[in-house]
């Protein structure tokens, strides 16, 4: 072959956007869309509408839609043998599979990259949140210590108050006892 072309065909509705090398073949699109392999000319007697004298175009129809084509052209007339046409078909299928595998691998790589970026962002958020929680925990521990110190101080004050009350009761009891004893003595 003088030239081999593989082209993805972007189709939107009834319009197919062809690469530049397929512009002369626009009239062959109807045949390609229905999945027919085009072999021109098979005897060398008919002029080809495509560059060169001999041409094979193998459509790749997936899910009822023309998605790509593999074209082989030769600048001289050639009668293509059935096994050569089958070889071009097999090459087209393998090329499609390789392109799809490359696309899937690229999509997987992009997904993995996006997952890595999201994972990194999540890790950063976890670090930030952990830092915030550690700060809040430290603040709560400080507050707990302050409350315990305040409770201990309140207990100490209460103990001193109770002790002061007991002391005051004893003093009042002594005063009452002493005064009452003196008054009784005076009355006697």
């Amino acid at each position: 072959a003088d030239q081999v072309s593989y082209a993805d065909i972007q189709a939107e509705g009834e319009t197919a956007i062809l690469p530049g090398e397929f512009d002369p073949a626009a009239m062959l699109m109807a045949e390609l869309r229905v999945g027919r392999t085009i072999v021109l000319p098979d005897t060398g007697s008919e002029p080809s509408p495509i560059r060169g004298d001999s041409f094979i175009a193998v459509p790749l129809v997936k899910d009822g839609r023309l998605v790509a084509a593999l074209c082989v052209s030769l600048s001289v007339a050639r009668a293509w043998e059935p096994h050569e046409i089958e070889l071009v078909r097999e090459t087209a299928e393998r090329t499609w599979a390789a392109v799809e595998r490359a696309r899937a691998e690229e999509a997987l790589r992009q997904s993995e990259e996006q997952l890595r970026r999201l994972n990194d962002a999540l890790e950063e958020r976890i670090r930030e949140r952990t830092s915030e929680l550690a700060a809040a925990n430290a603040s709560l521990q400080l507050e707990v210590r302050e409350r315990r110190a305040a409770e201990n101080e309140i207990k100490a004050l209460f103990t001193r108050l109770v002790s002061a009350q007991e002391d005051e009761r004893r003093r009042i009891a002594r005063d009452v006892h002493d005064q009452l004893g003196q008054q009784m003595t005076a009355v006697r």
Side-chain angles (χ1 to χ4, degrees):
D2 293 329
Q3 181 178 357
V4 176
S5 301
Y6 174 85
D8 284 326
I9 298 172
Q10 305 297 320
E12 297 176 15
E14 292 298 313
T15 304
I17 302 163
L18 299 173
E21 69 262 20
F22 285 178
D23 284 343
M27 64 183 179
L28 304 175
M29 283 302 295
E31 294 296 315
L32 291 174
R33 276 198 182 118
V34 294
R36 290 194 190 107
T37 298
I38 299 169
V39 180
L40 293 174
D42 60 352
T43 63
S45 61
E46 302 171 30
S48 173
I50 311 298
R51 286 181 240 126
D53 289 321
S54 298
F55 178 78
I56 298 176
V58 176
L60 291 160
V61 177
K62 305 298 177 193
D63 297 325
R65 186 173 72 86
L66 177 65
V67 293
L70 180 74
C71 298
V72 176
S73 62
L74 191 60
S75 60
V76 295
R78 176 175 179 95
W80 297 99
E81 298 290 328
H83 73 276
E84 293 172 324
I85 296 169
E86 189 55 38
L87 177 63
V88 174
R89 281 189 185 121
E90 179 66 26
T91 303
E93 286 296 329
R94 289 182 183 203
T95 303
W96 169 259
V99 167
E100 285 301 298
R101 187 173 45 256
R103 284 183 182 142
E105 288 171 358
E106 177 61 19
L108 178 61
R109 188 193 62 72
Q110 288 177 356
S111 293
E112 287 173 346
E113 179 63 25
Q114 183 180 12
L115 181 60
R116 187 193 58 74
R117 282 193 308 267
L118 290 171
N119 190 31
D120 290 347
L122 182 60
E123 288 291 331
E124 181 60 30
R125 286 180 62 196
I126 288 171
R127 278 191 291 276
E128 289 172 2
R129 188 68 178 142
T130 300
S131 176
E132 290 172 6
L133 289 173
N137 191 24
S139 174
L140 287 173
Q141 287 177 350
L142 178 63
E143 188 176 329
V144 165
R145 282 192 300 270
E146 288 173 353
R147 285 184 184 219
R148 284 184 182 156
E151 286 175 5
N152 289 338
E153 191 175 322
I154 289 172
K155 285 179 185 177
L157 285 173
F158 184 72
T159 302
R160 284 180 27 209
L161 177 63
V162 168
S163 178
Q165 284 177 343
E166 290 295 322
D167 290 345
E168 186 63 23
R169 283 188 187 134
R170 274 182 279 201
R171 188 185 63 76
I172 291 172
R174 265 192 320 265
D175 285 348
V176 168
H177 180 266
D178 289 348
Q179 284 178 1
L180 191 59
Q182 285 175 0
Q183 288 176 357
M184 292 290 268
T185 302
V187 168
R188 255 202 225 124

